[in-house]
């Protein structure tokens, strides 16, 4: 199966804390996934690789001929993936605007009927818990329901080095065991939804909203 790790930071300055702590956390997640689940593919989606333009215009608002190639490329990756790992810092007790912006560029039909895992971190002691709570709502609305276990990394700068390896004094096995609780759930759900989708196409049963959100209104 194929999993995308969405990185939720574009911050390239400091202070506070070393810049783009999220890159360390994402690299650690990828290392854990590749070492524990060797049969699966994992790809990092870095928002800096997909410039989205100064004015918000989502993928689905373009005609097919005019959609920017990088948006199309990312849409294809989202559609063909089996699950998502959403890595977000906590900014003002909320998920990162960079992550929300990137995800908002794509319709829920690309994400739906596939699971996601919530990974949050912070420079402080709460590990992004408050951002994680809001992410449940956001990801559920996108249709990639988050698994129940979550990963939170407090003081991420003290846990992971720039290359994603653990800092001196940290135990990699303990961190990966903690990560695996969430990743095991993600992979179980991804396998289950993949197999069931091959039997029943959900998009034939629940039509995507093609015209207007009022299509789902109560009568
Ligand atoms: C605008 C802004 C708001 C922040 N708000 C919070 C917060 O609510 N809770 C928290 O624990 N840390 C907060 N922080 C600190 C972040 O945890 C820390 O800067 C972290 O490194 C951000 O991740 P990043 O480097 O990957 O962007 C905030 C940082 C910024 C830049």
């Amino acid at each position: 199966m194929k999993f995308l790790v969405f990185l939720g930071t574009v911050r390239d300055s400091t202070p506070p804390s070393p810049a783009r702590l999220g890159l360390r956390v994402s690299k650690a997640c990828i290392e854990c996934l590749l070492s524990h689940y060797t049969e699966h593919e994992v790809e990092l989606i870095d928002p800096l690789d997909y410039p989205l333009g100064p004015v918000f215009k989502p993928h689905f608002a373009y005609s097919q001929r005019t959609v920017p190639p990088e948006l199309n490329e990312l849409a294809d990756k989202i559609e063909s993936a089996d699950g998502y790992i959403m890595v977000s810092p906590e900014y003002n007790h909320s998920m990162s605007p960079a992550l929300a912006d990137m995800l908002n560029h794509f319709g829920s039909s690309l994400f739906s009927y596939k699971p996601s895992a919530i990974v949050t971190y912070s420079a402080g002691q709460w590990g992004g818990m408050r951002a994680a709570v809001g992410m449940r709502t956001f990801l559920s609305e996108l249709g990639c329901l988050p698994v129940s276990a979550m990963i939170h990394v407090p003081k991420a700068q003290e846990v992971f080095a720039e290359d994603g390896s653990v800092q001196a004094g940290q135990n990699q096995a303990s961190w990966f065991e903690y990560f695996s609780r969430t990743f095991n759930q993600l992979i179980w759900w991804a396998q289950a939804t993949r197999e069931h989708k091959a039997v029943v196409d959900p998009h034939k049963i629940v039509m995507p909203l093609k015209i207007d959100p009022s299509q789902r209104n109560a009568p």
Side-chain angles (χ1 to χ4, degrees), residues 65-219:
R65 276 183 305 107
T66 60
V67 56
E70 62 274 12
L71 265 193
N72 249 346
E73 187 192 313
L74 190 46
D76 289 345
K77 286 183 184 191
I78 294 169
E79 191 165 29
S80 61
D82 296 292
Y84 313 98
I85 293 115
M86 305 293 190
V87 182
S88 180
E90 180 172 290
Y91 282 2
N92 295 317
H93 293 196
S94 308
M95 78 186 276
S96 106
L99 181 60
D101 185 41
M102 189 159 47
L103 300 180
N104 282 339
H105 276 77
F106 303 95
S108 62
S109 62
L110 302 185
F111 292 94
S112 56
Y113 307 104
K114 289 175 269 185
S116 60
I118 294 172
V119 180
T120 62
Y121 60 92
S122 65
Q125 64 178 323
W126 305 114
M129 265 307 299
R130 293 154 297 206
V133 171
M135 286 171 76
R136 280 203 180 287
T137 312
F138 192 109
L139 296 171
S140 299
E141 176 57 14
L142 264 191
C144 52
L145 304 189
V147 299
S148 68
M150 297 191 277
I151 294 169
H152 312 293
V153 184
K155 301 181 186 170
Q157 70 283 12
E158 293 176 17
V159 178
F160 297 115
E162 272 183 51
D163 64 357
S165 62
V166 292
Q167 302 270 28
Q170 298 284 341
N171 184 330
Q172 191 194 53
S174 304
W175 277 102
F176 281 8
E177 192 184 326
Y178 169 60
F179 282 14
S180 293
R181 182 176 159 73
T182 298
F183 293 152
N184 284 340
Q185 285 192 358
L186 179 77
I187 288 167
W188 189 94
W189 277 109
Q191 184 81 46
T193 60
R194 187 189 166 96
E195 282 171 15
H196 193 52
K197 262 185 293 196
V199 181
V200 183
D201 179 354
H203 297 293
K204 290 209 170 116
I205 300 174
V206 185
M207 294 301 168
L209 302 173
K210 287 274 185 233
I211 303 167
D212 192 276
S214 66
Q215 286 177 295
R216 63 183 168 189
N217 283 2

Side-chain angles (χ1 to χ4, degrees), residues 24-75:
R24 304 179 184 207
V25 177
S26 301
K27 285 178 180 170
C29 287
I30 292 170
E31 174 59 26
C32 175
L33 284 160
L34 292 179
S35 59
H36 284 57
Y37 312 90
T38 46
E39 70 274 34
H40 302 305
E41 266 183 77
V42 184
E43 182 177 343
L44 178 70
I45 303 295
D46 184 335
L48 292 182
D49 293 336
Y50 297 92
L52 298 168
V55 177
F56 176 65
K57 184 166 177 179
H59 178 256
F60 48 81
Y62 288 90
S63 68
Q64 264 187 356
R65 276 183 305 107
T66 60
V67 56
E70 62 274 12
L71 265 193
N72 249 346
E73 187 192 313
L74 190 46

